[in-house]
Amino acid sequence: MPLYSQDQIHTIAAKIKDVRFGMFTTVDDDNVLTSRPLTSQQIDNEGNMWFFTSDEAPFTHHLEHHPDVNVSFSNPDDHLYLSVTGQAYLLKDRAKARELWNPLVRAWFPGGLDDPHLAMIRVRIQSAEYWDANASKMKQLVQLAKAAITGRAAVDMGKHTTICL
């Protein structure tokens, strides 16, 4: 089992803490990529990302044979874009569901923690990439205009970082 840097895990968690939804992308049995919005509930200290789902959701049936997933997050207002890859597992983990339960989840699971279709998805994070634009919108526009006029690539538009866990 790989050793995870707590700093790397905390960096990923901090980047997405204010982003409500991630686009959760899976591969179906025909090798077609499909995505849907899911709310990340937690990134734990072991590098797992947790989601609530229904075991009746069609995409969950693909995870057993195609566990490779991508979850992408964006917050354009903060110029943040983050992409996580990992292995996903569908679990009936009542203890974890109880730990992460909040009143908003009841909207999808009216039976609460006793809902027979309540399931958890655990994504074992393998890597993450993020793009942070550290410049203000005005500075970005100036840089883009300058690049268009000079024919040179825009500079100082932000940074791209890859984290491998």
Side-chain angles (χ1 to χ4, degrees), residues 77-121:
D77 291 340
D78 287 338
H79 312 289
L80 172 70
Y81 304 90
L82 184 132
S83 175
V84 173
T85 60
Q87 298 270 304
Y89 305 91
L90 183 68
L91 306 169
K92 290 285 195 158
D93 188 333
R94 291 292 184 241
K96 192 65 172 180
R98 190 175 306 107
E99 174 191 336
L100 298 177
W101 186 262
N102 68 70
L104 295 176
V105 179
R106 189 173 293 280
W108 286 274
F109 299 99
L113 289 167
D114 295 325
D115 190 303
H117 297 291
L118 176 68
M120 302 297 298
I121 295 176

Side-chain angles (χ1 to χ4, degrees), residues 9-10 12-14 16 40-50 84 125:
I9 293 169
H10 292 312
I12 296 168
I16 64 169
S40 175
Q41 301 297 317
Q42 177 190 60
I43 297 179
D44 66 24
N45 289 331
E46 286 78 44
N48 296 301
M49 186 178 292
W50 291 90
V84 173
I125 299 173

Side-chain angles (χ1 to χ4, degrees), residues 48-160:
N48 296 301
M49 186 178 292
W50 291 90
F51 300 87
F52 283 105
T53 195
S54 168
D55 64 4
E56 292 184 310
F59 81 93
T60 63
H61 303 286
H62 301 133
L63 296 177
E64 183 178 352
H65 296 105
H66 306 282
D68 292 325
V69 299
N70 176 272
V71 188
S72 57
F73 299 88
S74 69
N75 186 345
D77 291 340
D78 287 338
H79 312 289
L80 172 70
Y81 304 90
L82 184 132
S83 175
V84 173
T85 60
Q87 298 270 304
Y89 305 91
L90 183 68
L91 306 169
K92 290 285 195 158
D93 188 333
R94 291 292 184 241
K96 192 65 172 180
R98 190 175 306 107
E99 174 191 336
L100 298 177
W101 186 262
N102 68 70
L104 295 176
V105 179
R106 189 173 293 280
W108 286 274
F109 299 99
L113 289 167
D114 295 325
D115 190 303
H117 297 291
L118 176 68
M120 302 297 298
I121 295 176
R122 178 186 66 161
V123 175
R124 184 78 162 150
I125 299 173
Q126 295 172 324
S127 66
E129 292 185 76
Y130 63 90
W131 295 262
D132 251 336
N134 55 4
S136 69
K137 286 183 184 180
M138 182 56 74
K139 185 174 180 181
Q140 289 178 31
L141 288 172
V142 169
Q143 290 294 340
L144 289 171
K146 183 177 174 182
I149 293 168
T150 64
R152 295 184 184 158
V155 294
D156 197 25
M157 294 295 289
K159 68 178 182 172
H160 169 246

